[in-house]
């Protein structure tokens, strides 16, 4: 069975600094997708970034980028120039194909606080 | 487009009461999901519907039932609520045909069972 592990329950970073959130996963599939979702205090889940496993190039979205290491099954999120609005819970998610359908597995989340 | 909507936003139940959480999406997505979110446990899949007319159990289905009423709507029913079902419930939808596989989430329902 697939698993997703986020080993950092809480992190903090100074405004304008860079922070990296860790995520590891376990799967026997060769093709899958990985996601980082942000959940601010409003509770709304928002997609931050997506990575397709067959693409070697790391995904980037403005200040957000990932370090995808397929062999190590690692998918970390780097936030550059952190802003107060980045304060949120961040979830790493894996999507694979099982029994003819696709399912998502979420990690337990990392609570990030950006300090002024 | 409203995206994914959920009702109600908050609910308090007594042990043994029943209720139905409603979810609707207007993005013409085939797949819909129900998750529960508990502190320190992330999002856990309760039930999902890969397409209209089909439903399947997820990781934590006990105590819940679902109905995929049509392509737009996917409801979650608690027949006899228990304090262990106190949680935040999220509905989500996605569409494989877009090849993005992004899940779109509703705003959540905070349920308290006393």
């Amino acid at each position: 069975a697939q698993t997703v592990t986020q080993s950092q329950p809480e992190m903090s970073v100074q405004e304008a600094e860079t922070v990296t959130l860790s995520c590891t996963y376990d799967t026997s599939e060769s093709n899958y997708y990985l996601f980082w979702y942000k959940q601010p205090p409003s509770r709304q889940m928002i997609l931050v970034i997506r990575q397709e496993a067959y693409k070697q190039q790391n995904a980037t979205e403005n200040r957000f980028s990932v370090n995808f290491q397929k062999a190590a099954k690692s998918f970390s999120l780097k936030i550059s120039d952190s802003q107060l609005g980045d304060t949120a819970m961040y979830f790493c998610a894996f999507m694979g194909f099982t029994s003819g359908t696709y399912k998502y597995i979420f990690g337990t989340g990392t609570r990030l606080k950006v300090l002024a | 487009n409203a995206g994914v909507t959920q009702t109600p936003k908050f609910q308090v139940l007594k042990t043994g009461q029943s209720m139905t959480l409603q979810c609707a999406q207007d993005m013409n997505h085939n797949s819909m999901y129900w998750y529960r979110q508990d502190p320190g446990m992330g999002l856990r899949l309760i039930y999902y519907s890969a397409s209209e007319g089909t439903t399947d159990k997820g990781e934590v289905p006990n105590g819940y039932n679902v109905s995929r009423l049509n392509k737009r709507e996917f409801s979650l029913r608690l027949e006899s609520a228990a304090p262990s079902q106190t949680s935040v419930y999220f509905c989500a939808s996605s569409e494989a045909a877009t090849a993005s596989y992004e899940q779109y989430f509703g705003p959540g329902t905070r349920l308290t069972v006393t």
Side-chain angles (χ1 to χ4, degrees):
Chain A
Q2 294 97 346
T3 59
V4 175
T5 301
Q6 293 181 250
S7 58
Q8 305 152 313
E10 293 186 355
M11 296 188 74
S12 62
V13 62
Q14 289 294 136
E15 200 175 4
E17 297 293 307
T18 295
V19 65
T20 298
L21 280 58
S22 302
C23 174
T24 58
Y25 59 94
D26 191 23
T27 184
S28 57
E29 297 180 27
S30 58
N31 192 24
Y32 48 87
Y33 289 72
L34 296 162
F35 305 85
W36 278 98
Y37 282 89
K38 169 185 178 181
Q39 186 182 42
S42 67
R43 216 165 62 194
Q44 181 67 54
M45 294 282 284
I46 304 162
L47 178 68
V48 175
I49 201 163
R50 172 197 312 115
Q51 176 77 44
E52 297 157 45
Y54 65 87
K55 287 189 177 179
Q56 291 189 328
Q57 187 172 5
N58 288 326
T60 62
E61 287 287 342
N62 301 314
R63 298 182 295 107
F64 299 88
S65 61
V66 298
N67 183 3
F68 173 48
Q69 302 286 331
K70 191 172 183 179
K73 295 179 183 172
S74 170
F75 182 60
S76 59
L77 175 69
K78 185 170 87 170
I79 306 174
S80 304
D81 186 27
S82 297
Q83 300 175 359
L84 295 177
D86 295 334
T87 292
M89 182 75 91
Y90 288 81
F91 291 98
C92 178
F94 167 98
M95 191 219 80
F97 298 89
T98 305
S99 303
T101 188
Y102 54 100
K103 289 184 188 177
Y104 299 80
I105 308 293
F106 286 80
T108 52
T110 296
R111 187 176 301 281
L112 176 68
K113 192 168 188 178
V114 180
L115 307 170
Chain B
N1 284 357
V4 180
T5 57
Q6 288 182 238
T7 56
K9 285 192 167 51
F10 300 94
Q11 184 71 50
V12 178
L13 289 178
K14 289 186 167 38
T15 297
Q17 286 185 319
S18 62
M19 79 161 296
T20 300
L21 280 64
Q22 307 285 355
C23 173
Q25 52 91 8
D26 62 1
M27 295 172 284
N28 203 36
H29 287 172
N30 276 307
S31 300
M32 297 185 74
Y33 308 79
W34 276 105
Y35 294 92
R36 59 178 288 173
Q37 182 180 13
D38 302 292
M41 304 196 73
L43 276 76
R44 292 183 293 168
L45 183 64
I46 305 171
Y47 270 93
Y48 67 99
S49 171
S51 61
E52 186 180 354
T54 69
T55 60
D56 285 288
K57 294 178 180 178
E59 182 185 352
V60 288
N62 290 346
Y64 305 95
N65 284 302
V66 290
S67 295
R68 184 74 183 264
L69 304 169
N70 47 54
K71 193 170 185 180
R72 289 188 63 248
E73 299 171 287
F74 188 39
S75 62
L76 178 72
R77 183 160 177 85
L78 287 69
E79 291 291 350
S80 179
S84 61
Q85 294 178 305
T86 293
S87 188
V88 179
Y89 291 85
F90 286 95
C91 177
S93 71
S94 66
E95 179 53 58
T98 64
S100 73
Y101 297 102
E102 175 184 353
Q103 283 197 308
Y104 294 81
F105 286 84
T109 296
R110 182 175 291 280
L111 174 67
T112 302
V113 183
T114 60

